[in-house]
Amino acid sequence: MAKNRFIIPSIILVLFLISTVCAINSKKHGGKIYTREGSALIINEGVKEISEFNFNFSHKEAIKSVVLPDSMERIGYLAFQGFSGLTSITIPEGVTSIDEQAFYDCHNLSSVQLPSTLRSIGEGAFFRCEKLNSITIPDSVISIDASAFSSTQINQLVVYDNGQKC
């Protein structure tokens, strides 16, 4: 019983902190962290992190391209889940983490450029990216979680260690 008294307030605190970070990012851009131009989604400069809570619109599958700002540091949990029209993405320098299931169900994603600043790739980060068949992992990556590339067509995984192709 005593444990339960602390679990609910802890969950409320975590949700409050997440909504505060989203609100701070949002206020920097007149209430929006992104703009849509046709089939392109452009994340506004100054945004450091995105997650599943940032894209509450229908027809995510209509997005064909995403432009991430140089300010981006983290691609959070389920950030681009269901963006099945997305075919390629270049993740900018400065991003250090791609979290769990960040690109889950991006069925048409076939090209991903990872930055030299990337440190970790979360569990199922590219799960069900069925057209992804090759990716180069920079030597800055120290952690690739389980099933990061499950249900992809990866037949070539290029990994670097101290600047040398492994």
Side-chain angles (χ1 to χ4, degrees):
M1 181 77 165
K3 288 182 182 179
N4 289 341
R5 281 189 281 162
F6 295 107
I7 291 173
I8 292 175
S10 297
I11 291 170
I12 292 170
L13 176 62
V14 168
L15 291 174
F16 171 76
L17 291 173
I18 290 171
S19 66
T20 301
V21 168
C22 291
I24 289 169
N25 279 338
S26 180
K27 286 179 184 173
K28 290 180 185 176
H29 305 285
K32 294 188 86 178
I33 65 164
Y34 64 88
T35 52
R36 283 181 76 172
E37 294 181 8
S39 63
L41 180 72
I42 301 164
I43 311 300
N44 294 326
E45 190 60 48
V47 174
K48 294 182 177 188
E49 178 178 342
I50 51 174
S51 71
E52 67 178 321
F53 302 111
N54 296 126
F55 305 118
N56 292 322
F57 56 81
S58 59
H59 305 294
K60 292 178 182 178
E61 70 279 357
I63 299 297
K64 305 286 185 218
S65 66
V66 173
V67 178
L68 299 173
D70 291 336
S71 59
M72 186 67 57
E73 297 173 357
R74 180 178 181 194
I75 299 175
Y77 176 71
L78 290 172
F80 295 105
Q81 183 266 332
F83 282 63
S84 59
L86 186 62
T87 58
S88 67
I89 191 158
T90 298
I91 299 172
E93 293 296 321
V95 172
T96 59
S97 176
I98 300 173
D99 291 352
E100 295 85 8
Q101 300 178 353
F103 292 94
Y104 176 79
D105 269 349
C106 291
H107 301 290
N108 290 303
L109 187 62
S110 60
S111 174
V112 177
Q113 299 296 315
L114 300 175
S116 64
T117 54
L118 188 64
R119 307 273 294 154
S120 66
I121 301 173
E123 183 174 342
F126 295 94
F127 184 71
R128 292 184 60 182
C129 293
E130 294 152 352
K131 295 202 175 164
L132 188 60
N133 61 21
S134 175
I135 194 164
T136 300
I137 308 294
D139 62 357
S140 59
V141 173
I142 57 172
S143 171
I144 300 175
D145 288 347
S147 68
F149 300 101
S150 287
S151 296
T152 66
Q153 296 298 313
I154 288 186
N155 55 26
Q156 179 182 12
L157 184 65
V158 179
V159 180
Y160 286 86
D161 184 25
N162 291 324
Q164 299 295 317
K165 191 174 177 179
C166 298

